[in-house]
Amino acid sequence: MPIATPTLMPDIANQTLAQTEGALDWVGMSNIEMPLVVGAANEPERPISARIDAFVNLTDPKAKGIHMSRLYLLLEDLSNNDVLNHDSLRKLLHDFIDSHDGLADQAYVKFSFDYHLRRKALVSKKPGWKAYPITLVGRYDNGKLALQLGVEVPYSSTCPCSAALARQLIQDAFAEQFGTDAEVDAELIHRWLGTSQGIVATPHSQRSIAEVKVLLSDDLNELPIIHLIDAIEEALQTPVQAAVKREDEQEFARLNGQNLMFCEDAARRLKFMLSHQHAFADFWVRVNHYESLHAHDAVSIATKGIPGGFQP
């Protein structure tokens, strides 16, 4: 019986031309699910589950399309044989373009994942896990490489206006309780302040989210994920907690009382902090206060304001 000659499979991307000619800005894939190992500065390497967008431009107006499988296989190689860090991200973008010689001269990749950190409680120091949503974006364009790091950090915000109104009600309750006595027993006041009649009102606070994106400086050679998270939490002073005991909750209440802030205050704190970080060439901040008083959110946005940089 004669052996059948293998049939060559058609390669439409290489063997046919575009039905309608024209260059394209970006072509690729989005929401690729893949496990990776991330390497961040001053932290051990850790596994994560990422969603990935991978694109190149299409410069040849006659080409039918790009080779999407080549982009995927490069990501697959990164997943199995390397660590996602500053150097591998740079190499990946160059490999995207090299794999499309004559078809592309720009490349883009975006990784979205949760980065888990063990954070200690404020006073008891009990450890607990916190997940920080991270976006890592790399773009190679016109011979220039740009790496962008983004993070979402949850924190608590207490309204200064509400605090002032609560203090006024407490003052009124004090006057009603003790009248205009020239002398009042300190122990009696101390006991009264520990009752619900003594603190008749409390200010409203809410969980809030700081969304921060930074453009990494060219001389940086590591991913400053932890540094950025720590700097944001230090600037805001009221990051949400994981494991807490009563002493931690009390300290959290104290920090909220000492860091009253509108969304404008929070955005200005972050803008000031980021403006003094030499590791970041540019930044974009969006502060979201998910109001407990209103059914809508309070939002403030800030950028560094450099020409050609992040836009509000």
Side-chain angles (χ1 to χ4, degrees), residues 30-45:
S30 64
N31 284 319
I32 304 168
E33 297 181 359
M34 195 168 288
L36 294 164
V37 175
V38 173
N42 302 317
E43 279 289 311
E45 297 172 354

Side-chain angles (χ1 to χ4, degrees), residues 17-24 58-64 102-103:
L17 299 178
Q19 295 175 351
T20 302
E21 294 185 7
L24 297 173
L58 183 55
T59 57
D60 186 347
K62 295 183 179 181
K64 185 69 172 176
L103 293 179

Side-chain angles (χ1 to χ4, degrees), residues 159-269:
C159 175
C161 180
S162 178
L165 294 172
R167 287 194 298 269
Q168 184 183 56
L169 289 175
I170 293 170
Q171 287 177 317
D172 292 344
F174 181 90
E176 182 178 346
Q177 177 70 23
F178 298 102
T180 57
D181 295 347
E183 294 185 6
V184 182
D185 182 74
E187 179 60 28
L188 182 63
I189 295 175
H190 184 268
R191 288 199 305 270
W192 179 78
L193 287 173
T195 67
S196 58
Q197 291 75 32
I199 305 299
V200 294
T202 58
H204 76 82
S205 59
Q206 54 271 320
R207 187 181 300 175
S208 306
I209 299 288
E211 301 174 53
V212 178
K213 293 187 291 187
V214 296
L215 180 66
L216 303 184
S217 298
D218 292 337
D219 57 354
L220 206 63
N221 55 16
E222 294 182 297
L223 297 180
I225 296 176
I226 315 303
H227 173 72
L228 179 58
I229 293 172
D230 286 345
I232 293 170
E233 292 188 341
E234 177 64 25
L236 295 172
Q237 287 290 299
T238 54
V240 300
Q241 301 295 297
V244 293
K245 304 293 285 182
R246 281 178 295 174
E247 58 267 34
D248 304 308
E249 189 168 355
Q250 185 179 63
E251 176 63 7
F252 189 68
R254 187 191 71 81
L255 287 170
N256 272 267
Q258 297 301 308
N259 290 277
L260 306 173
M261 52 184 149
F262 293 129
C263 65
E264 296 93 331
D265 298 310
R268 286 173 175 143
R269 286 189 183 196

